[in-house]
Amino acid sequence: MKTKDSMVDDWKFDLAINYHGGMGADPSVLNRIIIGTGLYSSRYAEDVQLVDLLNEQVSEMDPARRKELVSQAQEIIACDLPSLPLFYIDSFWASDDRVSFYYTYGGVAMGTPTALNKMAFV
């Protein structure tokens, strides 16, 4: 796994089939996985309109306007197809409401309220 991660992170591959979980949480995750520079990013900056939309949506304060920007970005992503998700693994957790799961920006599972966020148990 470390060897594969290192090669993908260094962009030393012809084709990478990789697993990075599902997408969720805040739409800023699109910036990380489409135009970001990290291990699980497509590093796709060829479409200037897409880059502009993604950069604008992360700082937009009006929820309705932000949703519109994200929708436009998703249409471009669907046409340009910078990466191709083959599958997403389903995960399920059960709770009896004694624990309150909450969103942690940039946290475990990209901040999505899940049982993976151990801070919910503190």
Side-chain angles (χ1 to χ4, degrees), residues 38-52:
L39 176 62
Y40 298 113
S41 175
S42 300
R43 303 176 194 184
Y44 182 74
E46 284 79 10
D47 193 315
V48 176
Q49 182 184 8
L50 175 60
V51 172
D52 289 345

Side-chain angles (χ1 to χ4, degrees), residues 27 30-31 35 47-60 65-77:
L30 291 172
N31 290 52
I35 61 173
D47 193 315
V48 176
Q49 182 184 8
L50 175 60
V51 172
D52 289 345
L53 285 167
L54 290 175
N55 286 329
E56 185 179 350
Q57 68 92 11
V58 294
S59 59
E60 179 58 57
R65 173 70 180 141
R66 188 172 189 209
K67 183 176 182 179
E68 180 182 318
L69 292 169
V70 170
S71 292
Q72 290 175 29
Q74 288 177 323
E75 285 183 34
I76 295 171
I77 292 166

Side-chain angles (χ1 to χ4, degrees), residues 1 4 7 9 11 20 28 31-32 42 47 50 52 61 63 65 67 70 82 87 89 94 101 107 113:
M1 184 76 155
K4 187 258 319 162
M7 291 179 73
D9 197 32
W11 217 245
H20 61 82
S28 64
N31 290 52
R32 282 192 291 205
S42 300
D47 193 315
L50 175 60
D52 289 345
M61 299 302 290
R65 173 70 180 141
K67 183 176 182 179
V70 170
F87 68 94
I89 294 175
F101 298 112

Side-chain angles (χ1 to χ4, degrees), residues 4 23 25 27-29 32-33 38-39 41 61 70 74 83-84 90 97 101-103 106 108 115 118 120:
K4 187 258 319 162
M23 294 190 321
S28 64
V29 70
R32 282 192 291 205
I33 67 169
L39 176 62
S41 175
M61 299 302 290
V70 170
Q74 288 177 323
S83 64
L84 178 62
D90 288 332
D97 293 331
F101 298 112
Y102 56 89
Y103 179 81
V108 175
K118 308 296 189 278

